[in-house]
Amino acid sequence: MLLNVFSTPRSIEGESLRKRLKKRLSENTSTKTVEIYNSFDIVGDIAIVKLTESSKEQAALAANAIMGCNKGLKTVLAQASKIQGEFRLRNLVCIGGEDKTVTTHREHGCFFNVDLEKCFFSPRLSGERLRISRLVQPNETIVNMFAGVGCFSIIIAKTVPTAKVYSIDLNPAAVECMRKNVRVNRVFGKVLPVLGDSKAIIEARFQHCADRVLMPLPEKALEYLPTAVTALKTSGGWIHLHCFEHAIKTEESMDQAHAKIAAEFKSLDIDFEVPFSRVVRPVGPNWHQVEVDIRVNG
Ligand SMILES: C[S@@+](CC[C@H](N)C(=O)[O-])C[C@H]1O[C@@H](n2cnc3c(N)ncnc32)[C@H](O)[C@@H]1O
């Protein structure tokens, strides 16, 4: 049996799992070929893999090898579509183990209940969640415009117990998981889940109240930027924005993001600075996810 593991630029488990998988499969004498992409995710006790077209028939083989390498795994799901739609969901097919999509993921000492079929969740934002939580100051009010199952918000509330985070999401299933996660992580009154479109919710309830606004949805960040500004206190504050940029070099992606943000702020006639930005990860050929910290001056 031969395993080809396609290296994609970002891998959660990295070399060690790749090596263990190769070793495990080389012990088998069959001559079948299994090809999986290296960058698979582990969420709680579920692995999510991307199989190549040619290896879909050997899906069960790949699933068994993955579960054999990580005894904590109960389920292997294959990604059957791109992440799509307003709720940022993907189709998933069980290729091994227990047929389920609900799990509990542990991150930075917090527990996140998530239904992977109904809610967006990515363990790849773990580093960013920690980075942002460390920037928060005592007693801040924060608006999370695209909160998902509440990961950014809950990690912030655990890191800075005097902070209050209004956590908005359009997806009722994500807000239901967020409510559970608020209970499990004991952050009542600190993380406040709100169901709805963040633009409408901010206009109706959260004008000029926030020290910091989180915008972890690249597809809508620039469109919703003027609304984020209105959520900030009149004395100013911080906006943490993610966007996708198309460029050959990562520096060009950041320059493009800066230019678009500058154009928005120019049209709003508001003073701002960008003290920090970076490319988080490649998201396709010459496409990059860029994160930008914007200081809005009052
Ligand atoms: C990339 S995910 C957020 C990730 C999340 N912050 C995390 O750390 O897991 C984007 C979220 O935005 C939500 N969303 C999409 N459009 C929205 C809108 N107009 N208002 C509020 N939430 C929205 C989606 O349902 C999805 O849960």
Side-chain angles (χ1 to χ4, degrees), residues 85-88 119-122 125 129 144-152 168-171 174 196-199 216-220 224:
E86 281 208 302
F87 299 163
R88 311 308 299 140
C119 314
F120 175 92
F121 182 87
S122 174
L125 294 172
R129 295 194 264 259
N144 184 351
M145 290 178 74
F146 309 110
V149 300
C151 305
F152 273 98
I168 309 166
D169 203 283
L170 192 59
N171 178 355
D197 167 48
S198 54
K199 199 184 271 190
L217 175 59
E219 292 80 1
K220 283 192 183 153
Y224 278 44

Side-chain angles (χ1 to χ4, degrees), residues 114-129:
V114 58
D115 185 338
L116 295 164
E117 197 174 38
K118 296 183 184 161
C119 314
F120 175 92
F121 182 87
S122 174
R124 295 170 195 224
L125 294 172
S126 166
E128 174 64 355
R129 295 194 264 259

Side-chain angles (χ1 to χ4, degrees), residues 120-190:
F120 175 92
F121 182 87
S122 174
R124 295 170 195 224
L125 294 172
S126 166
E128 174 64 355
R129 295 194 264 259
L130 192 62
R131 186 183 78 83
I132 299 290
S133 71
R134 288 176 173 163
L135 297 174
V136 173
Q137 301 300 307
N139 299 309
E140 278 194 7
T141 297
I142 297 157
V143 173
N144 184 351
M145 290 178 74
F146 309 110
V149 300
C151 305
F152 273 98
S153 308
I154 290 169
I155 292 169
I156 287 172
K158 282 291 195 188
T159 309
V160 185
T162 54
K164 182 179 266 197
V165 193
Y166 296 108
S167 294
I168 309 166
D169 203 283
L170 192 59
N171 178 355
V175 174
E176 201 185 310
C177 283
M178 194 181 350
R179 291 202 170 106
K180 273 188 209 155
N181 294 331
V182 165
R183 278 200 298 278
V184 168
N185 293 285
R186 298 174 184 274
V187 287
F188 300 102
K190 296 174 182 176

